[in-house]
Amino acid sequence: MGHRLGRVLITQEEIAGRVRELGQDLARDYQGKDPLLVAVLKGAVVFLADLMRATEIPLACDFISVSSYGASSRSSGVVKITADLSQTIEGRHVLVVEDIIDTGRTVTYLKRNLLTRHPQSLRICTLLDKVSRREVEAELDYVGFSIPNEFVVGYGLDYLGLYRNLPQIMVLDTGEGGEVL
Ligand code: IMP
Ligand code: MG
C-alpha cells in the first residue's frame, strides 16, 4: 500500500494570489514596526521566502526548529525546540510563520515559549489551517487557506521529508488512482 499523490488542492496561482494579499496585510499592519518574521523549520521556509518578498516594508527574519515527540505523524503536543532563534526577541514585533496548523499543539507551545521572552507583540501567520482537527484552541492572526481534513504536501509541506519542492499543494492519499511516486 504505497502513498500516492492525489489531486491538486491549491494551485500555484491561488497560492501566489493569497500570498500577495497577506503581504499587503502585513505591510499595512506592521508599517514602521520593523517586524521579525520567525519561520518554523522546515515546512514554513517556502512560504516565508514568498511572503517576505510580498511584504514591502523593512523586516527581519529568523528561524526556529521544533519537533514533537510521540506517535510518528500524529502531534503529541509534547514539543521540543531543536534549534533556537539566533537573536533575542525582547521588545520586537514578532510574527510566527507556520505552514499548517493541525491540532494546534505546536503553535500553542511555541507561543507560550516565545511570550516568556517578552516580545512587544506576538502574532501567528499560517498558510494552511486544518480547522476540523483542532484540539487546542489557538488564536490565528493571519490564515492563507482553511482546508479540509486531508493530508497535504507541497509548497514546503512534507511526507517523510519528501514533496516539499512541489510548487502547489496536493493531497496525499493511499487509495487507487493518482500518480505513483
Ligand atoms: P499540530 O501541533 O498538530 O498543529 O501540528 C502541526 C504540524 O504537523 C505541522 O507543522 C506539520 O509539520 C504537521 N502536519 C499536520 N498536518 C499536515 C499535513 O497535512 N501535511 C504535512 N504536515 C502536516
Ligand atoms: Mg511544521
Side-chain angles (χ1 to χ4, degrees), residues 3-17:
H3 286 82
R4 296 153 185 260
L5 279 181
R7 68 184 196 285
V8 175
L9 189 66
I10 309 173
T11 67
Q12 241 179 300
E13 292 71 25
E14 288 169 328
I15 295 170

Side-chain angles (χ1 to χ4, degrees), residues 40-41 43 98-99:
V40 183
L41 294 172
E98 258 286 24
D99 51 358

Side-chain angles (χ1 to χ4, degrees), residues 118-138:
H118 306 295
Q120 191 167 337
S121 70
L122 180 63
R123 288 182 179 174
I124 309 296
C125 176
T126 185
L127 177 69
L128 304 177
D129 182 12
K130 237 189 244 183
V131 203
S132 66
R133 291 258 308 160
R134 200 60 36 82
E135 292 174 12
V136 180
E137 200 182 325

Side-chain angles (χ1 to χ4, degrees), residues 3 36 66 95 107 156-157:
H3 286 82
L36 176 66
V66 298
L95 180 71
V107 78
L157 291 119

